[in-house]
Amino acid sequence: MAGNTFSIRRPLIGLAIVSLATAVLPYVGLQEYSLSILTLGLFFAVYAMSWDLLFGYAGEANFGATFLIGTGAYTAALMSSNGVATPLICVAAGAAGAVVAGAVLAFPALRLRGPYFGLVTLVAVLIMRQLIILFSDKTGGEIGIAVPDVIAVEAATNFHIALGLAAVTALVLYLLVKSPFGLILEAIGQDPVNAQVLGFNIVKYKLTAFCISAFFSGLAGGLMTFYLGTASTNVFVDASVGVQIIIAAIVGGRRTVFGPILGALFMAIASEYLRPLGSLSELAVALIALIVLFFLPGGLLGLVRLARRPS
């Protein structure tokens, strides 16, 4: 029992140390532009961790990550642009809206077998994007909605908000996957038939995981809207952005919670450094990701663990 407690506590101590060490980056000469790249990378880390909860542990492919993110972002943006509430209330409403929309989508879709759940979530993204364009007088169409308020102006404060959100998300998800709920969810992902025979309600557990994923995705989407100052389809409701989130989670190390953080930051930093390649930059990032997938099945976190292993 003591050994199990230590095995759980050690990663949490590591998370706290890394978070505190990262928090000082704005004060050690890091330029604001570099800080903005890391801030966006941390938001994407939340998206990747949230996505991996359902796929990595429950084994359910979800191609609708941006449906949840977009719901949170556009709910917050619409409320703010119409002067309905303060930014923090708008963000909270975005997270709640993502949970409701996710539950409405997932409850019937999770009853489908095979790849159909993934297809349903992908179609949801496409429908949402078309609805945003169709009602452009309210949503701004492809241009997006500008939000009149901000949560913070200083780059360091925005960085700390994103870092805090990523750290809290990692903490909650890690404790969740190590709990009896997480162990049952993992058992469902590995052998759903046997789990059902044992009496577990597969749909209930997957729906709960999807709603938790929706909450953090919507929360991050709302916060990122106020960070960017706008909500647009190209950033929040786009199938290609969903693919980047999936790649980040798998490259970092799926079913690890902390791996997607590494993957998201790697994708953000690599994309920025390869930007001088112009249109070839996306191809270069994709090739790097493909190499990692082929030669590092455990992802970047697996490589870190391998390097730390005594010879």
Side-chain angles (χ1 to χ4, degrees):
M1 187 70 170
N4 184 49
T5 302
F6 178 73
S7 66
I8 294 176
R9 187 180 300 169
R10 185 170 57 181
L12 298 182
I13 294 174
L15 174 64
I17 293 173
V18 171
S19 298
L20 290 173
T22 307
V24 305
L25 287 178
Y27 312 111
V28 294
L30 196 67
Q31 296 180 352
E32 285 193 6
Y33 183 75
S34 299
L35 208 58
S36 68
I37 301 301
L38 291 178
T39 301
L40 291 174
L42 288 168
F43 280 124
F44 266 81
V46 176
Y47 301 149
M49 283 187 285
S50 301
W51 177 86
D52 190 51
L53 177 64
L54 194 65
F55 178 74
Y57 291 90
E60 198 71 63
N62 171 24
F63 300 111
T66 53
F67 172 77
L68 304 174
I69 297 165
T71 300
Y74 272 86
T75 299
L78 284 168
M79 290 180 65
S80 178
S81 62
N82 288 289
V84 174
T86 62
L88 290 180
I89 294 177
C90 293
V91 170
V99 172
V100 172
V104 170
L105 173 68
F107 183 73
L110 283 170
R111 297 180 181 277
L112 301 174
R113 296 183 180 275
Y116 294 105
F117 175 77
L119 292 175
V120 168
T121 56
L122 177 60
V123 170
V125 174
L126 301 178
I127 291 175
M128 184 179 187
R129 184 181 178 91
Q130 291 305 313
L131 288 174
I132 290 171
I133 295 173
L134 182 63
F135 295 99
S136 58
D137 56 326
K138 300 293 184 182
T139 63
E142 293 184 337
I143 297 175
I145 309 174
V147 291
D149 300 313
V150 294
I151 294 178
V153 177
E154 297 81 8
T157 304
N158 283 307
F159 172 75
H160 286 140
I161 290 173
L163 176 63
L165 176 62
V168 170
T169 303
L171 173 63
V172 172
L173 293 183
Y174 182 78
L175 292 176
L176 182 69
V177 301
K178 294 299 181 181
S179 70
F181 173 85
L183 297 177
I184 294 171
L185 193 67
E186 189 171 357
I188 290 172
Q190 293 179 354
D191 192 345
V193 175
N194 192 39
Q196 192 167 24
V197 169
L198 291 174
F200 296 117
N201 188 327
I202 293 178
V203 173
K204 182 184 75 171
Y205 279 95
K206 288 185 176 181
L207 180 61
T208 302
F210 193 79
C211 288
I212 294 170
S213 174
F215 173 79
F216 285 110
S217 296
L219 185 64
L223 283 171
M224 188 172 166
T225 295
F226 284 100
Y227 173 65
L228 296 176
T230 183
S232 64
T233 55
N234 290 337
V235 174
F236 293 106
V237 191
D238 194 290
S240 64
V241 175
V243 171
Q244 293 175 22
I245 293 169
I246 293 172
I247 292 175
I250 296 177
V251 165
R254 77 181 189 93
R255 210 167 65 188
T256 60
V257 176
F258 303 113
I261 301 177
L262 289 178
L265 292 174
F266 166 78
M267 295 285 288
I269 295 171
S271 297
E272 185 57 32
Y273 274 99
L274 295 172
R275 190 179 295 274
L277 296 177
S279 58
L280 292 176
S281 61
E282 292 185 8
L283 176 61
V285 172
L287 288 175
I288 293 173
L290 194 62
I291 292 171
V292 173
L293 293 176
F294 272 129
F295 296 101
L296 296 173
L300 296 175
L301 188 61
L303 181 63
V304 172
R305 288 172 173 172
L306 186 62
R308 291 176 56 189
R309 185 179 301 170
S311 55

